[in-house]
Amino acid sequence: MDLIKDVIDRIITRIRQNEALANVRFVREYNSTPVESPIGGYLAAVCVTGVNLSRRFVGGYMSSSVRGEVYCAEADIRLYAPPGENGSGLSALAGEIIRSLKGIEAVENIGEISASAIGFDPDADSIYRTISFKTEVCAESGGNNEG
């Protein structure tokens, strides 16, 4: 769904405003542009891992003709460190991403923020941590928002 992609893009744009993450390159996982291996710098691969219909609704503040659905989107940010970097630098950046998510959680309906332990990806020849979160996305139809 384009709506979910747009919401995730908006979240990533807000995260990137954190100056501590200036040296992190954000990319979409499974995009058509290949990523170098080994990784040349800190890299954050963003991926929507699941989407579930949470609930449907009818009505709204302005009109009973507004109908829609609320989806729960699950996303991962897999943060890779370049070869030779240690886990403490990776953990510090993961902490900054979490801090950024917490700073926008009310605005973007973000919840269930978590970080994995450090792992090793042999394909990327790099250590990584995965930051996971969920967000609710409202898709309206009816009234003036006919879609």
Side-chain angles (χ1 to χ4, degrees):
M1 293 179 79
D2 285 340
L3 179 61
I4 292 170
K5 178 188 172 300
D6 293 345
V7 169
I8 298 298
D9 286 348
R10 189 171 61 232
I11 290 169
I12 298 304
T13 298
R14 287 176 175 242
I15 290 171
R16 292 177 68 187
Q17 292 173 353
N18 181 336
E19 291 179 12
L21 300 171
N23 64 337
V24 178
R25 182 170 44 124
F26 286 82
V27 298
R28 281 237 174 244
E29 195 168 43
Y30 309 117
N31 68 17
S32 59
T33 306
V35 174
E36 73 278 1
S37 181
I39 294 169
Y42 286 101
L43 178 76
V46 180
C47 179
V48 175
T49 59
V51 177
N52 298 306
L53 177 63
S54 293
R55 63 188 179 275
R56 291 190 163 97
F57 63 89
V58 176
Y61 295 112
M62 302 301 283
S63 170
S64 61
S65 65
V66 174
R67 299 175 190 277
E69 299 159 333
V70 177
Y71 294 92
C72 179
E74 301 170 18
D76 284 348
I77 301 171
R78 195 172 227 196
L79 181 63
Y80 292 93
E85 288 292 327
N86 63 30
S88 64
L90 183 66
S91 293
L93 290 173
E96 287 296 328
I97 291 173
I98 291 169
R99 191 169 72 80
S100 295
L101 286 167
K102 290 216 156 274
I104 61 172
E105 67 184 338
V107 175
E108 297 293 349
N109 297 317
I110 296 171
E112 298 185 39
I113 302 168
S114 65
S116 72
I118 292 175
F120 181 76
D121 184 339
D123 293 330
D125 190 25
S126 177
I127 59 173
Y128 69 91
R129 288 191 85 164
T130 303
I131 298 94
S132 301
F133 64 94
K134 293 182 180 180
T135 185
E136 284 193 335
V137 179
C138 180
E140 293 181 7
S141 62
N144 292 333
N145 296 325
E146 201 66 48

